[in-house]
Amino acid sequence: MSDQSQTVFKRLYRAAQRPEDLPWHHAEPPALLAEALDAGREPGTALDVGCGAGTYSMYMARRGYRVTGVDFMPEAVELLRRQAADSGLKVTAIQADILVWAPPHACDVVLDVGCLHSLGTGRHPLYEAQLLRWLSPGGDFVLVHCGRRGWWDQWPIGPDRVSREVLVRLFAPELVLQAYRPEVLTGMPLFMGRSALVGRYWFRRAM
C-alpha cells in the first residue's frame, strides 16, 4: 500500500466510531462466502485477512466458526474487538503485517475482502506463499479483488487492478477456481476512474 493510501486509511479509521462509519462498509457478506460456508462442511476455523472493522469476521463467528481477524490498522482491530465484546462472540483480533504473520494453525476458510489488491503486485508471490500457510488442504479461499478491464484501467490511487487470468495463474496449481462473480461498481471518485470491476472469487485448495 502506498504512503498516500495509508494516510487515507488512517484518517478514515480514526474518524470511525463503528463499522458503518467507514465508506466501504457493506453489512451483507460476499455471496460467494455464504456459498462456501454452505458447501457442506461443519463449522471449523476461519481467517479474515485484512479484516478491517470485522463485519465479516463477525458473520463467520455467528455461523459457528472460530475466527481470527488480522489487520495492520490498530483502529480496525479495536473496532473488531469492540464488536466481539458487545455481541458475546469469541473472535481473535490481531494487529500484524499479514505478509510476515504466522498463524498457529492452518484454517478451513480464508477470506480476503480488499487486502491483496492493496499490497502492490510486486508482493503477490509473498502473499501466495503466506496463503498456503494459512489455508488447510481442501480449504476454501474467498477473495474480493479489483479486476483490470484493459491496459487503460490503472489509477494512481486506490487498489491494484488485476485480471481474473492473472489471479488464477497466481494461485495455481494448489488452488482451483470454483466460482467467479464480476460486478462493475460506479460512482467512484474521478482519481479512481469513476468505476471499477470488482471480482469475487471462490477457490478451493487441492487435498
Side-chain angles (χ1 to χ4, degrees):
M1 181 182 290
S2 68
D3 291 342
Q4 190 172 19
S5 294
Q6 287 191 41
T7 298
V8 172
F9 264 69
K10 289 176 182 178
R11 175 173 55 81
L12 291 171
Y13 271 114
R14 286 169 182 164
Q17 298 299 312
R18 53 182 188 159
E20 292 82 359
D21 295 333
L22 297 166
W24 52 79
H25 173 76
H26 291 283
E28 292 299 316
L32 289 179
L33 174 61
E35 292 181 26
L37 299 189
D38 288 339
R41 72 159 53 92
E42 292 295 319
T45 53
L47 172 64
D48 191 353
V49 179
C51 62
T55 299
Y56 307 135
S57 295
M58 298 297 295
Y59 169 77
M60 292 188 286
R62 292 188 185 98
R63 293 285 304 260
Y65 280 79
R66 301 183 299 280
V67 182
T68 299
V70 181
D71 201 283
F72 81 104
M73 290 291 299
E75 295 86 355
V77 171
E78 180 57 32
L79 282 171
L80 172 53
R81 287 174 177 159
R82 196 183 309 159
Q83 283 196 87
D86 291 345
S87 67
L89 292 170
K90 184 176 181 181
V91 177
T92 301
I94 297 174
Q95 181 192 353
D97 179 345
I98 60 95
L99 292 180
V100 299
W101 176 72
H105 53 74
C107 292
D108 302 307
V109 175
V110 174
L111 172 67
D112 178 341
V113 178
C115 181
L116 176 59
H117 68 203
S118 300
L119 296 178
T121 54
R123 295 180 174 179
H124 281 187
L126 180 54
Y127 180 97
E128 190 261 349
Q130 284 287 83
L131 178 59
L132 295 180
R133 300 175 70 184
W134 301 331
L135 186 62
S136 298
D140 292 309
F141 173 48
V142 177
L143 172 69
V144 177
H145 195 290
C146 272
R148 190 170 182 182
R149 292 166 285 183
W151 62 267
W152 51 270
D153 196 12
Q154 52 184 333
W155 306 92
I157 299 176
D160 295 312
R161 304 187 184 200
V162 178
S163 70
R164 168 184 169 174
E165 292 74 20
V166 169
L167 288 176
V168 170
R169 284 199 305 269
L170 173 66
F171 299 124
E174 291 87 357
L175 273 65
V176 178
L177 186 64
Q178 305 294 301
Y180 168 69
R181 302 245 180 97
E183 178 184 1
V184 175
L185 298 182
T186 58
M188 300 177 69
L190 178 60
F191 60 79
M192 295 178 66
R194 295 293 192 191
S195 67
L197 174 66
V198 176
R200 296 172 175 85
Y201 300 80
W202 172 13
F203 292 90
R204 178 164 289 168
R205 185 173 184 179
M207 295 294 291

